[in-house]
Amino acid sequence: QQRALFGQLLLSRSLRVISTRKNQTLIMLTARKKIQTERGVVPDEFEESVAQALFDLEATNNELKSDLKDLFINSAKEIDVSSGRKAIIVQVPFRLLKSFHKIHPRLIRELEKKFSGKDVVLVGNRRILKPSSSGQALARPRSRTLTAVHTALLDDLVYPTEIVGKRTRYRVDGSKVLKVYLDPKERNSTEYKLETFAGVYKKLTGKDVVFEYPVTEA
């Protein structure tokens, strides 16, 4: 009788373990729907953690649930920015960018809670088309040029803050740096992220940029 009872206990415990693993697997597979990489590349562990965070928000956050239902990301990466800060770059499909913008402040706030101490930025996934090397005048949308994509990236980084001016400065060594001036009315909500904006832009484009606010006369 003791053996039978012991056997039942083992069976019950095994079933619970199997059930738990199945539930965990189901959650992971469901969360995987929140990330669709290009060319079917398998998401890495960090990307899966961001996808899981989006899935959790969709499941538990009443403010974001309906808006997040049909949204997903293409990639996510963590980078180091100056002063020891870390940033998370979340790349989203260009066609879904407007939908992400509708919930941008709330979504960024919640993601930064989940990834404490790290700045989160959302950028659209745009593809640059190279000029034709055959000499033929093939139609290339202006929005797919290198300059246009890099300009759009600036807008993505600081959204919803407006860029009110730009100026290119040349250094003594001949290199140049772009100065981007942001709407001073948004200073309180963006100033702490200026280094992050610059670090992410440098990482994605290889170009130097400085974000500032225009000097207003007293």
Side-chain angles (χ1 to χ4, degrees):
Q1 188 176 2
Q2 288 181 340
R3 287 182 178 178
L5 182 60
F6 183 68
Q8 288 179 352
L9 288 172
L10 283 178
L11 178 60
S12 177
R13 184 176 180 181
S14 298
L15 289 174
R16 284 201 300 270
V17 170
I18 292 172
S19 177
T20 300
R21 288 177 178 173
K22 282 185 176 180
N23 289 335
Q24 290 174 340
T25 302
L26 180 60
I27 290 173
M28 287 179 63
L29 289 174
T30 307
R32 185 68 69 83
K33 293 180 180 179
K34 304 307 289 182
I35 180 168
Q36 295 183 22
T37 58
E38 291 188 313
R39 302 181 184 89
V41 177
V42 177
D44 60 30
E45 187 175 346
F46 181 74
E47 289 176 321
E48 287 187 345
S49 71
V50 175
Q52 183 67 55
L54 290 171
F55 173 74
D56 292 342
L57 286 173
E58 182 183 331
T60 62
N61 190 300
N62 291 329
E63 285 187 22
L64 297 171
K65 182 178 295 186
S66 60
D67 292 305
L68 281 174
K69 182 180 178 183
D70 297 319
L71 300 183
F72 58 88
I73 65 174
N74 290 140
S75 68
K77 67 177 76 173
E78 181 180 292
I79 67 166
D80 292 315
V81 292
S82 56
S83 302
R85 296 175 71 93
K86 289 184 179 293
I88 297 173
I89 308 170
V90 180
Q91 201 167 41
V92 306
F94 176 71
R95 64 183 178 83
L96 297 180
L97 188 58
K98 286 186 178 180
S99 297
F100 273 102
H101 279 173
K102 289 179 182 178
I103 57 173
H104 188 279
R106 289 173 293 161
L107 180 59
I108 294 298
R109 184 175 64 247
E110 293 300 326
L111 287 175
E112 289 182 344
K113 285 180 185 177
K114 287 183 175 289
F115 297 94
S116 181
K118 299 169 185 175
D119 296 330
V120 178
V121 294
L122 287 176
V123 298
N125 187 7
R126 299 175 178 86
R127 185 166 297 176
I128 298 169
L129 292 181
K130 295 181 180 180
S132 173
S133 58
S134 64
Q136 295 179 349
L138 296 176
R140 181 174 63 143
R142 184 172 297 178
S143 62
R144 305 291 288 277
T145 64
L146 179 72
T147 300
V149 170
H150 287 182
T151 299
L153 176 60
L154 289 172
D155 292 324
D156 288 353
L157 285 175
V158 303
Y159 185 87
T161 301
E162 183 181 355
I163 294 174
V164 296
K166 297 174 187 173
R167 183 175 296 172
T168 300
R169 291 289 178 87
Y170 290 87
R171 299 190 179 105
V172 177
D173 62 2
S175 63
K176 60 183 180 180
V177 58
L178 176 65
K179 287 199 171 188
V180 177
Y181 297 96
L182 304 180
D183 186 349
K185 295 195 296 292
E186 301 292 333
R187 187 168 192 147
N188 290 338
S189 60
T190 57
E191 190 166 24
Y192 76 100
K193 266 190 173 182
L194 296 186
E195 288 182 339
T196 294
F197 295 154
V200 171
Y201 189 78
K202 176 76 171 180
K203 176 71 175 179
L204 295 179
T205 68
K207 296 179 179 179
D208 291 322
V209 64
V210 175
F211 291 89
E212 295 180 352
Y213 304 96
V215 178
T216 55
E217 296 181 1

